[in-house]
Amino acid sequence: MALKITAECINCDVCEPVCPNQAIFEGELIYQILSDRCTECVGHFDTPQCVEVCPVDCIPKDPDYPEDRGALMNKYLSLTSAASGSDVT
Ligand code: SF4
Ligand code: SF4
């Protein structure tokens, strides 16, 4: 499941640089997460890095994007192979 940022976001900017998938960006009002790039950090880290650093705990799972670990790993593989151009199996 991708994560999402709620209205409690205080725009502190600490989550954006820790995302390994460049899934976080500064939106018009608050930071936002691109669901097609968020893997819950699967493939990179054991825990979601944005959740680890967020000081106000405003990054829950997004129920609009139900994905199990296998789906998240497939997303990671497609993101990394697209980025590197190499064959990841
Ligand atoms: Fe990025 Fe990981 Fe947060 Fe998803 S869970 S937005 S991949 S840091
Ligand atoms: Fe918003 Fe939390 Fe990211 Fe800070 S770390 S910008 S409060 S979502």
Side-chain angles (χ1 to χ4, degrees), residues 4-35:
K4 66 175 179 181
I5 294 172
T6 68
E8 282 81 51
C9 173
I10 57 169
N11 293 307
C12 72
D13 190 35
V14 299
C15 57
E16 189 268 333
V18 301
C19 178
N21 293 324
Q22 290 80 50
I24 302 175
F25 66 100
E26 189 173 5
E28 208 166 301
L29 296 174
I30 57 171
Y31 276 73
Q32 293 177 251
I33 291 174
L34 293 166
S35 55

Side-chain angles (χ1 to χ4, degrees), residues 3 15 18-24 33 37-42 47-51 59:
L3 304 189
C15 57
V18 301
C19 178
N21 293 324
Q22 290 80 50
I24 302 175
I33 291 174
R37 295 193 68 88
C38 175
T39 64
E40 290 187 43
C41 287
V42 166
T47 55
Q49 297 300 288
C50 56
V51 175
I59 316 180

